[in-house]
Amino acid sequence: MNIKDYEYKVSAAGRVNIIGEHVDYCGGKVMPAALSLKNTVYARPNGTDKINLTWTTLPDSVTLDIGKLESYKDLKYGNYQAGSALMWKRAGHKVIGCDLHMDCTVPFGSGLSSSAAIEVSTITALATVAGEEFDPVDVALKAQQAEREFAGVNCGIMDQYASACGKKGHAMLLDCKTLECDYIPISLGEYSFVITNCKKPHNLVESKYNERRAQTEEALKALQSRLDVKCLAELTLAQFKKYSVMLPHVLKKRATHVISECERVRVAVQAMKAGKIEMLGKLLNASHLSLKEDFEVTGKELDALAFAAQNHYACVGSRMTGGGFGGCTISIVKTKHVEEFKNYVADTYYKQTGYTAEFYTTDISDGITVEKI
Ligand code: GLA
């Protein structure tokens, strides 16, 4: 493949979530950041009614008929692209025949939102080859729909929003109820973020994710019989304390996570703005514990990885990031001790689990970028 034969280079980012986990679909605030790990699409119109897909990492090519996009749900490769094109088309946008060559540097199944990066960049590429202006928030919403309807994950908006609207050097404080987003400069002083993959193969993640989401909805429904709230994130800790007795044990635990995590996000914003990195680290540790004990989405490997990190003297905090059940942790580590930290964590983690952790070097980056080649 020769890049010069294409007309546009379109990218959308993977993301890491700093804090605010499993609260986006409960109307909460989240604090993700877009990464320089991303999906890039080289695109050109081809004058047909077909979308031809190729990949840098795969020998296969896939052709999608624009008139039959709904029939590609079960494709091994190309289903995210088909779903994204379908949702964009259904929303009344022009989808024209084109060649799309994909180059994804977000590791698959890592919890760093490779799927959101693929969906968002595909829609952006389609809009670009068709000569359409696009609103990144609208792209994110259609990408989320593709994830729900094509990948079967009843996800919130965090990943696709971060992938589309991220800003270099900034964390995003996204209110998932209103879709308002404040950008907070990331200045960690003598610290850096370290992202580590536990490398445990994922399985049944979609169904476990959907089950957790359904439990939060059930908890909300029960609480709404006594309280005038539209989402779990609206409850104060005091209100929850008073009314949580009415919830069955498991639902109470799920809601406890959501409401306490929303509070941690509020404090984390203050810590981040004031440069109180050690305080931010403590909140990350508390978030992990809550995801382990109350939301139960961590598992043995993510726990081993986060606790190994938390035990290292140069680390002020570590937690799982993303949906859970595998994937990555985010840790805040003194920059000058990062190499030593990685060796310690890799070693401890391997001894406990038999898996070889992987560390990523990545920056906080922009969401969507479009270049004419
Ligand atoms: C996945 C989903 C997001 C969010 C996170 C958990 O990444 O796609 O919408 O719910 O899990 O915070």
Side-chain angles (χ1 to χ4, degrees):
M1 132 18 173
N2 190 347
I3 288 170
K4 293 239 154 51
D5 295 339
Y6 287 79
E7 270 182 49
Y8 301 98
K9 180 180 177 186
V10 175
S11 295
R15 66 98 191 90
V16 65
N17 189 17
I18 301 167
I19 197 159
E21 213 67 86
H22 282 282
V23 299
D24 61 345
Y25 50 80
C26 300
K29 291 188 181 176
V30 294
M31 206 203 279
L35 298 174
S36 53
L37 297 168
K38 58 190 171 188
N39 189 56
T40 298
V41 184
Y42 297 93
R44 64 184 171 212
N46 64 16
T48 72
D49 55 359
K50 308 259 190 304
I51 300 172
N52 297 319
L53 301 171
T54 51
W55 288 266
T56 38
T57 48
L58 292 174
D60 318 41
S61 64
V62 169
T63 295
L64 307 173
D65 189 328
I66 295 172
K68 294 192 199 145
L69 289 168
E70 56 290 334
S71 65
Y72 299 113
K73 243 184 205 170
D74 298 325
L75 278 185
K76 184 163 178 211
Y77 303 110
N79 62 334
Y80 286 119
Q81 289 84 348
S84 304
L86 179 62
M87 297 310 150
W88 194 239
K89 189 165 165 247
R90 268 196 196 154
H93 296 282
K94 193 157 94 185
V95 173
I96 65 163
C98 55
D99 301 331
L100 304 179
H101 183 76
M102 307 272 154
D103 180 19
C104 192
T105 57
V106 191
F108 295 119
S110 62
L112 300 178
S113 294
S114 54
S115 60
I118 292 168
E119 291 147 1
V120 170
S121 57
T122 300
I123 294 178
T124 308
L126 291 172
T128 305
V129 292
E132 268 202 5
E133 299 268 315
F134 61 87
D135 167 14
V137 178
D138 191 28
V139 171
L141 287 165
K142 299 299 167 301
Q144 178 197 24
Q145 234 176 329
E147 179 82 27
R148 286 187 175 173
E149 292 189 26
F150 261 63
V153 182
N154 195 13
C155 66
I157 188 60
M158 171 170 74
D159 302 352
Q160 290 79 11
Y161 196 107
S163 177
C165 306
K167 190 163 156 186
K168 190 173 168 40
H170 288 73
M172 313 163 74
L173 179 63
L174 172 64
D175 184 330
C176 299
K177 197 166 64 177
T178 61
L179 294 189
E180 270 164 43
C181 182
D182 287 338
Y183 291 90
I184 307 172
I186 296 180
S187 66
L188 296 180
E190 55 182 334
Y191 293 95
S192 302
F193 287 132
V194 176
I195 299 172
T196 314
N197 191 341
C198 76
K199 298 294 280 179
K200 179 202 160 193
H202 277 210
N203 61 28
L204 298 176
V205 175
E206 294 83 2
S207 61
K208 289 182 201 157
Y209 180 94
N210 293 345
E211 182 197 73
R212 291 301 184 281
R213 178 170 182 160
Q215 288 169 334
T216 62
E217 281 161 6
E218 235 181 289
L220 173 65
K221 225 185 204 166
L223 289 163
Q224 279 171 332
S225 66
R226 305 286 297 277
L227 280 165
D228 181 23
V229 286
K230 288 196 185 57
C231 55
L232 281 183
E234 274 177 20
L235 267 90
T236 61
L237 282 170
Q239 270 177 326
F240 184 62
K241 216 169 177 183
K242 187 163 163 206
Y243 291 100
S244 61
V245 281
M246 61 188 281
L247 294 176
H249 182 62
V250 171
L251 297 191
K252 183 174 168 185
K253 288 210 302 184
R254 304 299 186 246
T256 299
H257 164 72
V258 172
I259 289 150
S260 65
E261 184 77 352
C262 288
E263 180 58 23
R264 282 186 287 275
V265 173
R266 276 189 277 277
V267 184
V269 178
Q270 303 310 322
M272 189 91 159
K273 288 186 175 162
K276 293 186 174 161
I277 306 305
E278 279 150 37
M279 186 196 269
L280 183 63
K282 288 207 174 80
L283 293 162
L284 260 61
N285 291 347
S287 171
H288 186 89
L289 201 62
S290 176
L291 288 156
K292 173 181 187 293
E293 302 291 335
D294 287 332
F295 218 66
E296 298 180 277
V297 291
T298 56
K300 188 165 118 236
E301 292 77 13
L302 279 173
D303 288 340
L305 196 59
F307 294 144
Q310 290 175 16
N311 277 336
H312 192 266
Y313 73 93
C315 174
V316 292
S318 182
R319 64 174 207 92
M320 58 149 271
T321 184
F325 308 108
C328 285
T329 57
I330 175 169
S331 311
I332 306 177
V333 185
K334 269 212 172 119
T335 310
K336 65 176 178 199
H337 298 303
V338 163
E339 284 316 308
E340 190 193 319
F341 166 83
K342 286 182 183 171
N343 290 336
Y344 171 81
V345 169
D347 205 43
T348 312
Y349 179 65
Y350 181 75
K351 280 186 192 134
Q352 287 177 8
T353 64
Y355 288 112
T356 304
E358 203 168 87
F359 298 87
Y360 301 119
T361 309
T362 172
D363 294 323
I364 306 302
S365 185
D366 285 330
I368 290 174
T369 59
V370 178
E371 278 171 50
K372 182 110 178 68
I373 295 176

